[in-house]
Amino acid sequence: MSVVAIVGRPNVGKSTLFNRLVGRRQSIVHNTPGVTRDRVAGTVRTDDGTFELIDTGGLVPGDDPLGLNDQVHFAVLESDLLILVVDGRQGLVPADEEVWDELRSHGRPVVVAVNKGDTKAAGENFDEFYALGAGAQVLISAEHGLGIEELIDELQETVPLFGTDEEVPESAIAVVGRPNVGKSSLINRLTGGPRSLVSPVAGTTRDPVDTPIVREDGEDLLLVDTAGIRRRSQVTDEPEELAVMMARRQIEKAQLAVLVIDASVGVTSGDLAIAGTIWELGRTVVIAVNKWDLLDEESREHLDESWERLDQILYRPLRVNISCETGRGIDRLLPAIDEALERFRTSLATSDANRLFEVATRRHQAPAPGGRPWNLLYATQVSSGPPTFMLFANRTLPRQDSYRRYLENFARDQLDLRGVPLRLVIRQRRE
């Protein structure tokens, strides 16, 4: 799957274009320059396939005390293609030329998106941007959707863009975590050999390595080593946001993620970000708390204090305390993976699914806004991995509705789905 980065100077509509392409309001959009500071990644799905999209903050050549320009360059290095967004209403300005001068050295193919194409000025100024010599140009309006299909067509003409949503092997396990928490060491312990390069320097592994594990007393597994946070060797000092972005690609290839955490540091914001990605993508998880042998009493208290938020995000996931250095606890990790996968593949007959949600509605009656109660008609499980149930009712429930969350949590508790996301699809049907 190709990776496309949206770049440009501040306040030209990059985040608006990102939201337009991914189909939801994921990036913050504001008319104040510099609102987007960190990169935001999303998946664009079309009838022809999918590609990964990265939104970046505005590039301002020169002094960069906050490191915002570095964020942009990291995103460019991880991308196959760039969308250079310019303001058609203002026309070509020196800042656009400075941005392109900085970006051209990376050698990535570019499509220029001349934004605000719903204005007369943008049409009149369109030809000015050919002076950049950056590549093909498309007139768009990110706010109103003008020219978006033409933009995607031009991207596809420039670089083979689309990948298909490949079926995820049931045995695929992604090993994820922040840089230098021991992911490669864990792979080596599980496989019994140095299959991944191990170094105290964060980010040593450059490329993901898929490693099969053949077992006599359990299911064969395919370990996807995501220690390779960097795909390209040019990246030399990436922040943790890049670790999250690269881990996302490997999580998508797996059904279960082993999230490796450095016990001596505790749960960090980077750990929480990766945990959120695992949950968002609908994968189950086992937490491997590495370097457990290095903890003193104070460090254990710090770990316990920082654990609560992770426990909430991943719904009480299975946890194994390990030491990749000494091998302590490694023998308990594979059984935990087996247990998590079994829960992830939970399957109920329609009669059992109906009974489950009938009990839920009896124990806690749905609210009745406007005097019209929500009534469940029947339920059925439509898929597993993750368990997904379709409920037919007299009306739908919004995604963030509190009663919907109650039904999800009730089913998860009754089925003991620790660390397993559960999906509800609610369809309206007349009684």
Side-chain angles (χ1 to χ4, degrees):
M1 186 185 303
S2 294
V3 180
V4 179
I6 300 176
V7 295
R9 61 184 174 88
N11 211 31
V12 291
K14 296 184 297 300
S15 293
T16 304
L17 176 59
F18 177 90
N19 291 336
R20 171 69 63 178
L21 287 169
V22 300
R24 61 186 184 277
R25 190 176 288 268
Q26 182 172 337
S27 277
I28 301 172
V29 179
H30 196 276
N31 60 8
T32 302
V35 168
T36 304
R37 293 196 170 189
D38 295 327
R39 296 178 311 284
V40 179
T43 301
V44 178
R45 304 183 186 277
T46 75
D47 292 339
D48 297 312
T50 62
F51 64 92
E52 288 295 310
L53 188 67
I54 306 171
D55 185 21
T56 67
L59 184 63
V60 182
D63 293 337
D64 184 27
L66 297 179
L68 305 186
N69 289 348
D70 288 343
Q71 295 275 333
V72 179
H73 287 290
F74 288 137
V76 170
L77 287 168
E78 286 302 317
S79 301
D80 303 295
L81 174 64
L82 307 180
I83 302 175
L84 175 60
V85 183
V86 293
D87 188 331
R89 188 165 53 192
Q90 294 182 1
L92 181 63
V93 298
D96 294 320
E97 296 174 327
E98 293 173 3
V99 166
W100 176 234
D101 284 343
E102 280 217 15
L103 295 176
R104 71 167 75 236
S105 62
H106 294 298
R108 299 293 186 269
V110 176
V111 173
V112 180
V114 182
N115 195 23
K116 305 181 183 177
D118 52 315
T119 64
K120 181 180 178 181
E124 294 174 346
N125 296 332
F126 180 80
D127 288 344
E128 291 183 9
F129 295 99
Y130 282 115
L132 292 173
Q137 295 185 184
V138 182
L139 186 66
I140 70 164
S141 170
E143 184 174 359
H144 298 104
L146 171 72
I148 298 301
E149 291 185 7
E150 291 82 356
L151 174 62
I152 293 176
D153 289 343
E154 194 61 58
L155 295 175
Q156 172 71 353
E157 285 290 322
T158 305
V159 168
L161 195 63
F162 298 116
T164 57
D165 289 329
E166 299 177 2
E167 186 175 346
V168 176
E170 288 192 356
S171 63
I173 310 299
V175 180
V176 298
R178 297 181 297 105
N180 209 30
V181 293
K183 298 181 294 296
S184 291
S185 297
L186 177 57
I187 293 286
N188 293 339
R189 279 285 180 182
L190 292 173
T191 59
R195 298 298 298 270
S196 294
L197 179 63
V198 179
S199 168
V201 179
T204 298
T205 306
R206 297 299 175 97
D207 298 300
V209 179
D210 294 351
T211 307
I213 294 182
V214 180
R215 303 163 64 194
E216 294 181 358
D217 58 347
E219 178 183 357
D220 294 346
L221 302 174
L222 181 68
L223 292 180
V224 181
D225 182 4
T226 57
I229 297 304
R230 308 186 206 112
R231 182 163 57 103
R232 307 183 196 279
S233 60
Q234 297 100 316
V235 182
T236 56
D237 188 26
E238 88 288 4
E240 288 186 1
E241 290 88 346
L242 188 55
V244 178
M245 183 183 71
M246 295 302 294
R248 181 187 183 94
R249 299 187 199 170
Q250 302 310 114
I251 294 167
E252 289 176 335
K253 302 176 184 177
Q255 289 206 341
L256 179 144
V258 176
L259 175 56
V260 185
I261 288 177
D262 186 338
S264 63
V265 176
V267 179
T268 69
S269 59
D271 298 323
L272 296 177
I274 295 176
T277 299
I278 295 169
W279 200 254
E280 174 196 343
L281 292 174
R283 306 306 194 248
T284 188
V285 64
V286 172
I287 309 296
V289 184
N290 191 25
K291 307 180 185 179
W292 184 255
D293 54 316
L294 301 181
L295 293 191
D296 55 24
E297 191 63 33
E298 183 179 349
S299 299
R300 292 193 183 193
E301 290 180 3
H302 175 68
L303 177 63
D304 290 340
E305 290 172 359
S306 62
W307 188 265
E308 182 178 357
R309 180 59 181 145
L310 186 68
D311 217 30
Q312 291 174 348
I313 292 175
L314 297 174
Y315 197 80
R316 299 184 290 112
L318 298 178
R319 165 179 165 177
V320 181
N321 299 328
I322 66 172
S323 169
C324 291
E325 181 71 24
T326 66
R328 172 182 175 178
I330 299 295
D331 59 326
R332 294 188 287 112
L333 186 58
L334 290 181
I337 289 174
D338 291 337
E339 182 179 345
L341 282 174
E342 183 178 358
R343 291 174 176 174
F344 188 64
R345 299 165 184 166
T346 293
S347 182
L348 296 184
T350 297
S351 58
D352 293 330
N354 269 306
R355 191 175 302 111
L356 173 68
F357 288 100
E358 284 171 1
V359 171
T361 55
R362 284 200 303 268
R363 289 192 182 180
H364 180 47
Q365 190 171 2
R372 183 184 176 218
W374 182 86
N375 291 324
L376 174 68
L377 303 180
Y378 68 95
T380 185
Q381 184 171 356
V382 293
S383 67
S384 60
T388 302
F389 297 89
M390 183 171 289
L391 309 185
F392 292 91
N394 62 328
R395 59 185 172 86
T396 60
L397 292 174
R399 187 167 297 277
Q400 299 301 321
D401 187 89
S402 60
Y403 194 70
R404 185 188 189 110
R405 289 197 298 272
Y406 158 73
L407 292 173
E408 291 175 355
N409 291 333
F410 179 88
R412 193 180 286 112
D413 284 335
Q414 294 299 306
L415 299 175
D416 193 22
L417 299 180
R418 293 181 57 192
V420 176
L422 181 144
R423 301 286 189 254
L424 291 186
V425 180
I426 301 178
R427 293 284 184 263
Q428 182 175 357
R429 178 166 291 187
R430 293 182 180 179
E431 297 181 69

